[in-house]
């Protein structure tokens, strides 16, 4: 089992920055891919960014490219999402997700991930 706990959400003005963290515990040695998703009220959960432990590849959704940066501290088993130039449309609950190694990784596919955190609210005011 893997447990994921997000933190770092909050209220920020448009143009501001936030850094989200996702602390992983449990059987973390099996984790290959980790991702951030977000869900705004009335909308489907949307892929934001992904990170693959094997090779260190990063992936981004089109709406956040150039503004958000995903990174991982393997020693701390923590995933980060640095969010810059925030817009009101970035307002959502942000979820961290983890995928156990299987040999392949499709970062944007929600059903790739076996474990999910509880989410952290990000609100961007105009």
């Amino acid at each position: 089992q893997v447990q994921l706990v997000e933190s770092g959400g909050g209220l920020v003005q448009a143009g501001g920055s936030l850094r989200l963290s996702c602390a992983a515990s449990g059987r973390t040695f099996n984790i290959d891919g980790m991702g951030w998703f977000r869900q705004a009220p009335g909308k489907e959960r949307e892929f934001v960014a992904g990170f693959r432990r094997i090779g260190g590849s990063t992936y981004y959704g089109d709406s956040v490219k150039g503004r958000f940066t995903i990174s991982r501290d393997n020693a701390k088993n923590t995933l980060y999402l640095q969010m810059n130039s925030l817009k009101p449309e970035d307002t959502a609950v942000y979820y961290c997700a983890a995928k156990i190694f299987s040999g392949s990784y499709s970062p944007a596919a929600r059903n790739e991930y076996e474990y999910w955190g509880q989410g952290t609210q990000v609100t961007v005011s105009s």
Side-chain angles (χ1 to χ4, degrees):
Q1 287 288 338
V2 172
Q3 294 79 42
L4 303 172
V5 178
E6 302 98 334
S7 61
L11 173 64
V12 64
Q13 287 189 331
S17 299
L18 280 176
R19 188 176 82 154
L20 305 183
S21 299
C22 172
S25 60
R27 298 175 67 86
T28 59
F29 61 90
N30 270 343
I31 294 175
D32 181 14
M34 293 190 76
W36 289 98
F37 287 75
R38 67 187 182 186
Q39 189 165 19
K43 295 189 176 181
E44 288 196 357
R45 196 166 292 191
E46 173 191 20
F47 170 71
V48 175
F51 183 98
R52 190 171 192 189
R53 174 186 270 177
I54 298 175
S57 298
T58 57
Y59 311 85
Y60 295 95
D62 288 341
S63 61
V64 306
K65 281 181 183 175
R67 300 189 298 123
F68 291 10
T69 303
I70 190 171
S71 61
R72 179 172 174 176
D73 185 330
N74 289 324
K76 295 182 179 180
N77 285 321
T78 301
L79 184 74
Y80 301 99
L81 184 68
Q82 178 65 44
M83 306 186 295
N84 298 329
S85 302
L86 282 161
K87 304 175 182 180
E89 50 263 45
D90 294 318
T91 295
V93 177
Y94 283 70
Y95 298 91
C96 174
K99 168 191 161 53
I100 300 303
F101 176 79
S102 70
S104 65
Y105 178 46
S106 297
R110 283 174 290 174
N111 60 8
E112 277 279 284
Y113 299 90
E114 291 91 351
Y115 301 99
W116 291 82
Q118 300 271 18
T120 185
Q121 176 71 45
V122 171
T123 302
V124 184
S125 63
S126 57

